Amino acid sequence: MIAEAVRVSPGWLGLREPADAAARSPELVERLRRQLPPRDRLVIHDLGGGSGAMGRWLAPRLSGAQHWVLHDRDADLLRLAVAGPPGPADDGAAVSVEARRSDVTRLEPGDLAGASLVVASALLDMLTAEQLAATLRACTATGCPVLLALTVVGRVGLTPADPLDARVAAAFDAHQRRATPEGRLLGPDAVPAAVEELRATGADVVVRPSPWRLGAAHAGLMAEWLRGWVVAAGEQDAALATEADAYRDRRLAQATDGTLGVTVAHADLLVLP
Ligand SMILES: C[S@@+](CC[C@H](N)C(=O)[O-])C[C@H]1O[C@@H](n2cnc3c(N)ncnc32)[C@H](O)[C@@H]1O
């Protein structure tokens, strides 16, 4: 059974794809390339693959034929992923894509059998500690490298500064850690939790920063991010509500006139068995 949950909108994923692409760690891809064994065809499983952004970024940075298997609980996003497959590998070899509707926190041992690489992007902070542990167990059981990209770490910087920034940021982080029927979400605690789980298996885990650095060129993404950030903060801290609308409008005006800068910290993890 696939749990119903808050859905991630295709529009949001489309808006963030270029900023994600600029943020992902190229150093970890270089390391990964050195670890991948020469094969006729790499089989790459993308957990929570959504509309396929990770493959569109990574496939052309790897060599040789690739078959991507995208796992997601959202059938609409998977359809978009199949409709927008990655370009060829860096040596021109073919890349194919297959979609599998599944709950990545409940993968069976056979689901990732034969994988050459497992990846996930912008997923870990959406999980509970138990879901994270189960997902990582399925990844490490494959014995292949695992690339876990773009997990939020809870540091947001805005310039110019505003007196309400710290309170909105704290309320947003608390919202990311909210209780759900499945348990408390990890939000900004996901990276240390994942590193601890993975190192306990003896794996080598390399962590690199992958921040969004948004400025005048990202007005659309910045406005959407700001709206979501402030709404989540207001849901968490009802006392913020009276000030939050004015704060959002101040910040949106700055985003529109190109005077706002936003940094949203993330981390990328490369796990080498
Ligand atoms: C923020 S989106 C990231 C999508 C994509 N990886 C990217 O980088 O653009 C998170 C994705 O994880 C999926 N997801 C979250 N929890 C899941 C679960 N338990 N099983 C399967 N998919 C899940 C969501 O449906 C969504 O597509």
Side-chain angles (χ1 to χ4, degrees):
M1 199 187 93
I2 298 172
E4 282 305 320
V6 178
R7 295 182 68 193
V8 180
S9 88
W12 169 244
L13 292 181
L15 258 183
R16 61 177 286 173
E17 188 165 341
D20 285 349
R24 299 177 191 280
S25 168
E27 181 199 333
L28 292 191
V29 176
E30 269 318 301
R31 286 184 178 228
L32 173 63
R33 284 172 63 97
R34 292 198 291 270
Q35 293 292 324
L36 287 173
R39 293 253 172 91
D40 288 349
R41 184 178 82 145
L42 295 172
V43 177
I44 303 172
H45 288 260
D46 185 358
L47 308 187
S51 54
M54 180 67 157
R56 284 189 289 275
W57 183 80
L58 184 58
R61 289 170 170 77
L62 302 177
S63 303
Q66 301 162 43
H67 182 64
W68 281 71
V69 184
L70 269 75
H71 302 250
D72 206 284
R73 61 187 172 197
D74 190 319
D76 293 335
L77 293 178
L78 287 173
R79 268 192 286 279
L80 289 175
V82 172
D90 75 347
D91 55 359
V95 176
S96 54
V97 175
E98 167 194 342
R100 281 193 206 165
R101 187 155 183 248
S102 63
D103 181 342
V104 298
T105 66
R106 294 170 188 226
L107 290 170
E108 301 288 338
D111 290 337
L112 304 181
S116 327
L117 168 66
V118 181
V119 302
S121 171
L123 173 75
L124 305 189
D125 45 79
M126 301 173 72
L127 305 180
T128 66
E130 290 71 27
Q131 291 173 336
L132 177 76
T135 307
L136 295 180
R137 269 197 303 277
C139 293
T140 51
T142 61
C144 68
V146 181
L147 180 62
L148 303 166
L150 292 174
T151 306
V152 293
V153 294
R155 282 192 308 280
V156 168
L158 295 99
T159 50
D162 184 288
L164 216 58
D165 288 345
R167 207 165 137 209
V168 177
F172 177 81
D173 284 352
H175 185 267
Q176 282 229 302
R177 296 184 177 107
R178 69 193 174 279
T180 71
E182 285 77 43
R184 190 166 287 284
L185 303 182
L186 283 163
D189 305 321
V191 168
V195 169
E196 190 181 329
E197 291 275 348
L198 291 162
R199 291 201 172 133
T201 67
D204 186 9
V205 186
V206 188
V207 184
R208 290 291 177 267
S210 50
W212 278 356
R213 296 185 200 284
L214 309 182
H218 309 92
L221 173 62
M222 211 153 37
E224 260 326 280
W225 173 83
L226 265 170
R227 286 194 191 93
W229 195 56
V230 175
V231 166
E235 280 175 20
Q236 189 66 32
D237 178 355
L240 258 180
T242 48
E243 297 159 88
D245 285 357
Y247 173 82
R248 181 203 56 213
D249 292 346
R250 273 197 304 281
R251 287 315 206 175
L252 285 175
Q254 292 168 334
T256 304
D257 69 20
T259 55
L260 183 63
V262 175
T263 306
V264 181
H266 303 99
D268 286 9
L269 276 60
L270 177 63
V271 187
L272 303 171

